[in-house]
Amino acid sequence: MNFIVSSSVLSGKLAEMSKVMNPKVVDPVLGYFLFRIKGEKLQITASDGDCTQCSTVDVVSTSEDGELCMPSTLLLNAMKNIPEQPLTFIVNPDNYSVVVKYNNGKFDFQGRSSEDYIVNTEIKGDFNESIIGSNILSMAISQTSFAVATDDLRPIMCGIYFTVTDGKFQVAASDGHKLARNTYPMDANTESAGDMSLIIPMKPAKLIKGLSTGEQQVRMLYNEREATFIFENDALHFRLLEGRFPNYNAVIPKNNDKVAVIDRSALLAAIKRVGVFSSLASGCIVMRFSGLQVTVSGEDIDFSTSAEEIILCTYNGTDITIGFKREYLRQILETFTSEEVRISMSDKSRAALFTPVTDEKEIDNLSLLMPMMVDD
């Protein structure tokens, strides 16, 4: 099992696939990459036990088909500073030793039998299939992931909820304080076998976003317990979060009658500046809407610091003073790409809605944020 492969191509692919693996592994074999030569292709597998990525790399030449486990950390560190050039891998099938030769040197290490590498790489049993564009998939994860919970006491909310209903692809996440719900059209290149409902853990969601490049079509194979996302040269298999995701549509208010339209960049910049002077403990930003302006302020009583800025806006409704956690505000505003943002409120103790002001009718972005209690 000898083969020649580009150093930069292999190094880049291994660095990408190392994100699947855990630094501390329960099973030592999960600290290895599985290399499999099949025809003119090098198939590489990396896994943490729950999430497995399989990728294909072109090779310059091969001697024969075969497979071997190679230590991930050692191989990554060894290839880190090798410039672009062909690498020749010479594998001894009798003792699993590997010699890697390049232009002006070589290094060798000990591999491991592939028989020890037992991971799930595909769905077992029946499954459904949907197809979606990688650009929509990447956008959906980017605009939703900030709202995912990190509290292990509520594991069902530690993921992104994917649904297909009535011909629309909807993605949602919530941690109880903030909610993101984004809806995208099912275009001509997007297909679904019917309604879909998946709760994808955050780790595979990030990996899916990294693999969703270009204009490729992504096949999603799934059942109640597991899913496989198939890209042009990669496949990601992982376990789903099992359970019932909360009915997030039920908590979205329908009668927020106080509406402000503000320049998104100006508001974001003001929050970042004023936030320096707000309380480190609470991180509260106070917004006072009145007439054609909003006053953004922050205060830290413990250190006797405060700041405020006035931003012009379009506002309809009675005067209102409402407080938000500055980090949550920043995250919501940074996910939008529109020039202006619409904020809908009812009173200082009820959820506010944030939506981008845009002519885009096919995509519906909505974020909900619970306020913090402040004095009028």
Side-chain angles (χ1 to χ4, degrees), residues 60-127:
V60 178
S61 66
T62 62
S63 59
E64 59 183 359
D65 292 354
E67 54 185 39
L68 182 74
C69 293
M70 301 194 186
S72 59
T73 303
L74 180 64
L75 194 56
L76 283 166
N77 291 335
M79 296 182 59
K80 196 172 291 184
N81 297 311
I82 296 179
E84 165 57 24
Q85 59 185 286
L87 295 180
T88 303
F89 283 73
I90 303 172
V91 179
N92 187 332
D94 297 326
N95 60 7
Y96 310 121
S97 64
V98 181
V99 177
V100 180
K101 295 182 177 180
Y102 49 100
N103 286 347
N104 57 339
K106 68 174 184 177
F107 59 88
D108 59 83
F109 55 88
Q110 191 66 32
R112 182 169 178 169
S113 171
S114 61
E115 295 178 357
D116 302 328
Y117 202 91
I118 303 174
V119 297
N120 290 331
T121 58
E122 57 185 12
I123 296 177
K124 297 179 180 179
D126 297 334
F127 60 86

Side-chain angles (χ1 to χ4, degrees), residues 161-362:
Y161 188 40
F162 281 30
T163 58
V164 172
T165 308
D166 298 329
K168 292 186 176 180
F169 175 51
Q170 190 168 95
V171 183
S174 177
D175 63 0
H177 301 287
K178 54 187 182 294
L179 162 70
R181 187 198 68 184
N182 301 299
T183 307
Y184 307 90
M186 300 285 281
D187 58 30
N189 294 322
T190 305
E191 302 174 7
S192 179
D195 289 355
M196 179 183 75
S197 177
L198 310 175
I199 307 177
I200 299 179
M202 200 56 215
K203 179 177 179 177
K206 291 180 179 179
L207 296 171
I208 290 168
K209 181 182 180 299
L211 295 171
S212 299
T213 57
E215 299 294 330
Q216 59 182 311
Q217 298 300 306
V218 182
R219 293 177 61 206
M220 300 184 292
L221 315 180
Y222 54 92
N223 57 25
E224 294 181 352
R225 295 187 175 182
E226 53 188 349
T228 302
F229 281 53
I230 301 176
F231 302 82
E232 289 180 357
N233 296 309
D234 305 273
L236 190 69
H237 177 81
F238 54 91
R239 294 181 184 176
L240 298 169
L241 293 176
E242 297 183 50
R244 187 178 182 85
F245 200 82
N247 182 11
Y248 53 88
N249 286 312
V251 303
I252 298 175
K254 309 296 183 187
N255 58 349
N256 284 7
D257 57 347
K258 298 176 177 63
V259 181
V261 176
I262 313 173
D263 183 279
R264 185 185 65 88
S265 298
L267 179 58
L268 181 59
I271 290 169
K272 290 180 179 179
R273 288 190 292 264
V274 170
V276 174
F277 299 89
S278 64
S279 171
L280 293 175
S282 66
C284 182
I285 292 289
V286 179
M287 303 175 71
R288 297 180 180 87
F289 293 89
S290 178
L292 297 177
Q293 67 182 36
V294 55
T295 302
V296 182
S297 62
E299 181 181 17
D300 190 340
I301 298 176
D302 294 335
F303 292 93
S304 300
T305 61
S306 64
E308 71 174 30
E309 290 191 21
I310 296 175
I311 304 173
L312 297 178
C313 68
T314 302
Y315 178 65
N316 293 319
T318 57
D319 294 358
I320 184 175
T321 299
I322 190 168
F324 298 107
K325 194 173 183 67
R326 68 170 182 268
E327 183 63 16
Y328 296 165
L329 264 179
R330 181 192 63 79
Q331 290 173 341
I332 289 174
L333 294 174
E334 287 183 343
T335 61
F336 296 157
T337 57
S338 61
E339 292 185 0
E340 294 181 316
V341 61
R342 180 182 294 106
I343 306 176
S344 305
M345 303 157 284
S346 59
D347 63 56
K348 67 177 184 179
S349 62
R350 297 182 180 273
L353 299 180
F354 295 76
T355 55
V357 178
T358 174
D359 295 331
E360 178 62 65
K361 297 181 180 179
E362 296 294 326

